[in-house]
């Protein structure tokens, strides 16, 4: 859990998921799933393979239409909005996809400038200037602006994708496995970057991950997907005490114990 917790009260909910159902033929992924995302928090979403973590994220951001249930964002149901209203709502959040999803034919400045041109109506020179600022915000040096995705390391791709997610100054960030494929040092640096950005910009973060180190380093609350719904959503310590076989194996197995010890050691060193 992060030391700086500035998220709002429990009733300050920016995303509310109620009775969500997701079915693919005979396969039921979610059944009456409920979840809240509170303003200013970093919420980590975990679960075993096939529990629908990414499907949940895609349902919330509108890339997948659920079979049933409701999702409201800032008190609005996107499905009930006009095209213009929905576009405005979508500009209030940014998404970092697992593979980065950068356009390979565009350099980084052009990748990040694209939403500024398409949605903010900026001219290309101004958009690319702002794009360079977003790259700096994500911790990338100025010379990366002219580079193409194929010329970057995995960690740099993640940061570039983060810069694009921040392009329109969103209030909510959705991150799908942001540290997947990164070495331990790069992953730790990325975790710290997310916390720093949350604290500096007042962001709310919905973070799908399997990385225990990320949960301990960055998340204020953790939601566990199991049995087609949210089994528990609470502080990491309370979630880890949940009487469930998967939870116990995940948080109290060798990797879970190692992540907990590393977090405790980090806290002692920084007191």
């Amino acid at each position: 859990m992060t030391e700086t917790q500035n998220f709002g009260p429990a009733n300050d909910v920016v995303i509310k998921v109620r009775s969500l159902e997701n079915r693919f033929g005979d396969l039921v992924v979610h059944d009456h799933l409920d979840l809240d995302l509170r303003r200013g928090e970093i919420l980590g979403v975990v679960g075993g393979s096939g529990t629908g973590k990414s499907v949940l994220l895609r349902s919330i951001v509108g890339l997948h239409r659920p079979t049933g249930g409701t999702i409201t964002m800032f008190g609005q149901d996107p499905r009930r909005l006009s095209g213009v209203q929905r576009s405005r709502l979508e500009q209030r959040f940014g998404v970092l996809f697992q593979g980065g999803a950068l356009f390979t034919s565009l350099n980084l400045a052009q990748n990040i400038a694209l939403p500024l041109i398409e949605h903010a109506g900026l001219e290309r020179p101004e958009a690319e200037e702002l794009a360079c600022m977003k790259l700096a915000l994500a911790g990338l040096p100025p010379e990366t602006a002219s580079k193409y995705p194929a010329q970057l390391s995995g960690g740099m791709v993640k940061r570039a994708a983060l810069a694009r997610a921040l392009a329109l100054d969103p209030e909510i960030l959705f991150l799908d496995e942001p540290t997947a494929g990164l070495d331990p040092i790069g992953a730790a640096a990325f975790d710290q970057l997310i916390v720093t950005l949350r604290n500096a910009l007042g962001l709310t973060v919905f973070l799908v991950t399997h990385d225990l180190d990320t949960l301990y380093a960055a998340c204020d609350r953790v939601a566990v997907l199991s049995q087609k719904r949210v089994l528990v959503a609470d502080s990491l310590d309370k979630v880890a005490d949940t009487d469930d076989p998967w939870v116990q194996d995940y948080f109290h197995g060798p990797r879970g114990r190692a992540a907990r010890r590393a977090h405790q050691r980090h806290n002692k060193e920084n007191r």
Side-chain angles (χ1 to χ4, degrees), residues 168-242:
L168 296 173
D169 297 325
E171 298 170 57
I172 304 175
L173 271 182
F174 292 91
L175 310 177
D176 192 1
E177 298 284 5
T179 59
L182 300 185
D183 64 84
I185 295 175
F190 199 92
D191 291 338
Q192 186 55 55
L193 175 61
I194 295 303
V195 175
T196 299
L197 290 173
R198 186 279 302 268
N199 293 341
L201 303 178
L203 295 168
T204 301
V205 182
F206 183 102
L207 191 159
V208 171
T209 187
H210 69 280
D211 193 331
L212 280 153
D213 290 322
T214 295
L215 296 181
Y216 279 101
C219 295
D220 300 301
R221 286 196 306 140
V222 176
V224 177
L225 301 192
S226 179
Q227 302 167 35
K228 303 180 179 63
R229 61 192 65 187
V230 175
L231 177 68
V232 59
D234 212 322
S235 66
L236 199 150
D237 288 339
K238 291 182 179 179
V239 168
D241 287 339
T242 300

Side-chain angles (χ1 to χ4, degrees), residues 18 89 164 223:
R18 291 293 181 270
L89 180 64
R164 189 179 62 182

Side-chain angles (χ1 to χ4, degrees), residues 71-89:
I71 299 171
T72 57
M73 186 178 296
F74 302 109
Q76 298 177 294
D77 182 345
R79 292 178 296 181
R80 297 179 180 272
L81 300 179
S82 68
V84 172
Q85 290 172 324
R86 180 164 181 161
S87 178
R88 288 174 181 165
L89 180 64

Side-chain angles (χ1 to χ4, degrees), residues 48-75:
S49 178
T51 54
K53 301 181 292 295
S54 293
V55 173
L56 174 59
L57 184 153
R58 292 171 64 85
S59 297
I60 295 173
V61 303
L63 294 175
H64 170 75
R65 187 175 182 85
T67 309
T70 61
I71 299 171
T72 57
M73 186 178 296
F74 302 109

Side-chain angles (χ1 to χ4, degrees), residues 1-7 40-42 195 198-199 218-220:
M1 184 185 301
T2 57
E3 295 181 8
T4 303
Q5 297 180 34
N6 61 356
F7 52 88
E41 75 172 339
I42 301 178
V195 175
R198 186 279 302 268
N199 293 341
C219 295
D220 300 301

